[in-house]
Amino acid sequence: MRGVTKLTVRAKPSISWDQASYTATSHDGKVVVTLIDDGGVTHNLHIIDSNDKDTDPNAPKLNVTGKGDTATGTFTLAPGTYRIICKVPGHGNMKSTLTVN
């Protein structure tokens, strides 16, 4: 894929994402996302659309299990606004906005 946006999201020890908002440019509808665990607990990353659903039933679910662990996946995302969340119980404050151009 030429010109693919690579977006890095870091899970912080405070059980939060490293940024309140992210921006990516979709090339051919694709955005490559890498999740890095800077904390020491399990996290997952879901990109949620305006209907509160994962962007695509086949979208990757990125999971990390401890400090320094990484996971990467390619998401199909049309231009628009999404939420990045962690669905691990107790991690409800892990919410950021993703704007795709």
Side-chain angles (χ1 to χ4, degrees), residues 2-44:
R2 263 184 26 205
V4 170
T5 291
K6 294 182 180 178
L7 175 67
T8 300
V9 177
R10 301 181 88 88
K12 304 306 285 179
S14 58
I15 306 183
S16 63
W17 301 124
D18 64 323
Q19 296 181 44
S21 63
Y22 302 87
T23 302
T25 301
S26 176
H27 293 281
D28 297 324
K30 307 291 183 197
V31 177
V32 176
V33 179
T34 298
L35 172 59
I36 301 173
D37 191 349
D38 286 343
V41 297
T42 298
H43 297 286
N44 56 48

Side-chain angles (χ1 to χ4, degrees), residues 26-87:
S26 176
H27 293 281
D28 297 324
K30 307 291 183 197
V31 177
V32 176
V33 179
T34 298
L35 172 59
I36 301 173
D37 191 349
D38 286 343
V41 297
T42 298
H43 297 286
N44 56 48
L45 182 147
H46 294 258
I47 298 180
I48 305 298
D49 66 18
S50 61
N51 296 316
D52 284 333
K53 298 189 186 289
D54 280 292
T55 54
D56 174 337
N58 299 318
K61 308 305 186 267
L62 303 183
N63 298 293
V64 292
T65 58
K67 189 172 179 79
D69 196 12
T70 65
T72 300
T74 301
F75 291 81
T76 301
L77 300 170
T81 303
Y82 302 88
R83 289 183 303 125
I84 298 174
I85 66 169
C86 177
K87 292 186 177 181

